[in-house]
PDB file of all heavy atoms in Angstrom:
ATOM      1  N   ALA V  29      20.289  37.572   9.993  1.00  0.00           N
ATOM      2  CA  ALA V  29      20.062  37.187   8.606  1.00  0.00           C
ATOM      3  C   ALA V  29      18.604  36.821   8.351  1.00  0.00           C
ATOM      4  O   ALA V  29      18.098  36.995   7.262  1.00  0.00           O
ATOM      5  CB  ALA V  29      20.968  36.010   8.240  1.00  0.00           C
ATOM      6  N   GLY V  30      17.931  36.308   9.374  1.00  0.00           N
ATOM      7  CA  GLY V  30      16.547  35.912   9.203  1.00  0.00           C
ATOM      8  C   GLY V  30      16.448  34.465   8.780  1.00  0.00           C
ATOM      9  O   GLY V  30      16.827  34.110   7.676  1.00  0.00           O
ATOM     10  N   PHE V  31      15.945  33.624   9.662  1.00  0.00           N
ATOM     11  CA  PHE V  31      15.774  32.213   9.357  1.00  0.00           C
ATOM     12  C   PHE V  31      14.297  31.870   9.503  1.00  0.00           C
ATOM     13  O   PHE V  31      13.565  32.539  10.239  1.00  0.00           O
ATOM     14  CB  PHE V  31      16.612  31.363  10.320  1.00  0.00           C
ATOM     15  CG  PHE V  31      18.090  31.475  10.062  1.00  0.00           C
ATOM     16  CD1 PHE V  31      18.879  32.368  10.783  1.00  0.00           C
ATOM     17  CD2 PHE V  31      18.684  30.708   9.075  1.00  0.00           C
ATOM     18  CE1 PHE V  31      20.245  32.482  10.531  1.00  0.00           C
ATOM     19  CE2 PHE V  31      20.047  30.819   8.805  1.00  0.00           C
ATOM     20  CZ  PHE V  31      20.825  31.707   9.539  1.00  0.00           C
ATOM     21  N   PRO V  32      13.857  30.829   8.785  1.00  0.00           N
ATOM     22  CA  PRO V  32      12.433  30.450   8.862  1.00  0.00           C
ATOM     23  C   PRO V  32      11.963  30.199  10.296  1.00  0.00           C
ATOM     24  O   PRO V  32      10.827  30.510  10.627  1.00  0.00           O
ATOM     25  CB  PRO V  32      12.371  29.175   8.030  1.00  0.00           C
ATOM     26  CG  PRO V  32      13.505  29.297   7.060  1.00  0.00           C
ATOM     27  CD  PRO V  32      14.595  30.043   7.806  1.00  0.00           C
ATOM     28  N   VAL V  33      12.838  29.611  11.129  1.00  0.00           N
ATOM     29  CA  VAL V  33      12.478  29.408  12.534  1.00  0.00           C
ATOM     30  C   VAL V  33      13.272  30.398  13.373  1.00  0.00           C
ATOM     31  O   VAL V  33      14.500  30.362  13.384  1.00  0.00           O
ATOM     32  CB  VAL V  33      12.788  27.971  13.006  1.00  0.00           C
ATOM     33  CG1 VAL V  33      12.632  27.858  14.516  1.00  0.00           C
ATOM     34  CG2 VAL V  33      11.873  26.983  12.293  1.00  0.00           C
ATOM     35  N   GLU V  34      12.582  31.311  14.021  1.00  0.00           N
ATOM     36  CA  GLU V  34      13.257  32.281  14.887  1.00  0.00           C
ATOM     37  C   GLU V  34      12.566  32.291  16.237  1.00  0.00           C
ATOM     38  O   GLU V  34      11.346  32.222  16.317  1.00  0.00           O
ATOM     39  CB  GLU V  34      13.209  33.678  14.254  1.00  0.00           C
ATOM     40  CG  GLU V  34      14.101  33.777  13.023  1.00  0.00           C
ATOM     41  CD  GLU V  34      14.313  35.213  12.577  1.00  0.00           C
ATOM     42  OE1 GLU V  34      13.415  36.043  12.824  1.00  0.00           O
ATOM     43  OE2 GLU V  34      15.361  35.497  11.986  1.00  0.00           O
ATOM     44  N   ARG V  35      13.392  32.340  17.284  1.00  0.00           N
ATOM     45  CA  ARG V  35      12.852  32.402  18.634  1.00  0.00           C
ATOM     46  C   ARG V  35      13.652  33.435  19.410  1.00  0.00           C
ATOM     47  O   ARG V  35      14.783  33.733  19.051  1.00  0.00           O
ATOM     48  CB  ARG V  35      12.984  31.052  19.348  1.00  0.00           C
ATOM     49  CG  ARG V  35      12.189  29.929  18.725  1.00  0.00           C
ATOM     50  CD  ARG V  35      12.405  28.637  19.496  1.00  0.00           C
ATOM     51  NE  ARG V  35      11.960  27.489  18.726  1.00  0.00           N
ATOM     52  CZ  ARG V  35      10.680  27.108  18.624  1.00  0.00           C
ATOM     53  NH1 ARG V  35       9.739  27.788  19.254  1.00  0.00           N
ATOM     54  NH2 ARG V  35      10.350  26.058  17.905  1.00  0.00           N
ATOM     55  N   SER V  36      13.066  33.914  20.484  1.00  0.00           N
ATOM     56  CA  SER V  36      13.804  34.838  21.342  1.00  0.00           C
ATOM     57  C   SER V  36      14.862  34.052  22.111  1.00  0.00           C
ATOM     58  O   SER V  36      14.781  32.817  22.225  1.00  0.00           O
ATOM     59  CB  SER V  36      12.845  35.512  22.326  1.00  0.00           C
ATOM     60  OG  SER V  36      12.408  34.564  23.278  1.00  0.00           O
ATOM     61  N   GLU V  37      15.818  34.764  22.633  1.00  0.00           N
ATOM     62  CA  GLU V  37      16.858  34.108  23.432  1.00  0.00           C
ATOM     63  C   GLU V  37      16.228  33.339  24.593  1.00  0.00           C
ATOM     64  O   GLU V  37      16.626  32.214  24.902  1.00  0.00           O
ATOM     65  CB  GLU V  37      17.807  35.183  23.966  1.00  0.00           C
ATOM     66  CG  GLU V  37      18.999  34.593  24.681  1.00  0.00           C
ATOM     67  CD  GLU V  37      19.917  35.682  25.239  1.00  0.00           C
ATOM     68  OE1 GLU V  37      20.106  36.699  24.555  1.00  0.00           O
ATOM     69  OE2 GLU V  37      20.418  35.492  26.357  1.00  0.00           O
ATOM     70  N   ALA V  38      15.213  33.918  25.231  1.00  0.00           N
ATOM     71  CA  ALA V  38      14.551  33.257  26.365  1.00  0.00           C
ATOM     72  C   ALA V  38      13.862  31.975  25.915  1.00  0.00           C
ATOM     73  O   ALA V  38      13.885  30.959  26.617  1.00  0.00           O
ATOM     74  CB  ALA V  38      13.533  34.211  27.001  1.00  0.00           C
ATOM     75  N   GLU V  39      13.246  32.017  24.735  1.00  0.00           N
ATOM     76  CA  GLU V  39      12.577  30.823  24.226  1.00  0.00           C
ATOM     77  C   GLU V  39      13.582  29.711  23.936  1.00  0.00           C
ATOM     78  O   GLU V  39      13.351  28.553  24.248  1.00  0.00           O
ATOM     79  CB  GLU V  39      11.795  31.157  22.952  1.00  0.00           C
ATOM     80  CG  GLU V  39      10.539  31.957  23.223  1.00  0.00           C
ATOM     81  CD  GLU V  39       9.879  32.490  21.943  1.00  0.00           C
ATOM     82  OE1 GLU V  39      10.594  32.704  20.932  1.00  0.00           O
ATOM     83  OE2 GLU V  39       8.667  32.694  21.971  1.00  0.00           O
ATOM     84  N   TRP V  40      14.715  30.100  23.329  1.00  0.00           N
ATOM     85  CA  TRP V  40      15.747  29.091  23.046  1.00  0.00           C
ATOM     86  C   TRP V  40      16.274  28.503  24.343  1.00  0.00           C
ATOM     87  O   TRP V  40      16.492  27.309  24.450  1.00  0.00           O
ATOM     88  CB  TRP V  40      16.902  29.704  22.251  1.00  0.00           C
ATOM     89  CG  TRP V  40      16.624  29.871  20.790  1.00  0.00           C
ATOM     90  CD1 TRP V  40      16.669  31.042  20.072  1.00  0.00           C
ATOM     91  CD2 TRP V  40      16.304  28.849  19.837  1.00  0.00           C
ATOM     92  NE1 TRP V  40      16.370  30.814  18.753  1.00  0.00           N
ATOM     93  CE2 TRP V  40      16.145  29.474  18.581  1.00  0.00           C
ATOM     94  CE3 TRP V  40      16.107  27.465  19.922  1.00  0.00           C
ATOM     95  CZ2 TRP V  40      15.822  28.762  17.419  1.00  0.00           C
ATOM     96  CZ3 TRP V  40      15.785  26.755  18.774  1.00  0.00           C
ATOM     97  CH2 TRP V  40      15.652  27.397  17.542  1.00  0.00           C
TER      98      TRP V  40
END
Side-chain angles (χ1 to χ4, degrees):
F31 289 96
V33 170
E34 290 193 331
R35 296 179 196 280
S36 70
E37 186 181 321
E39 287 171 333
W40 281 122

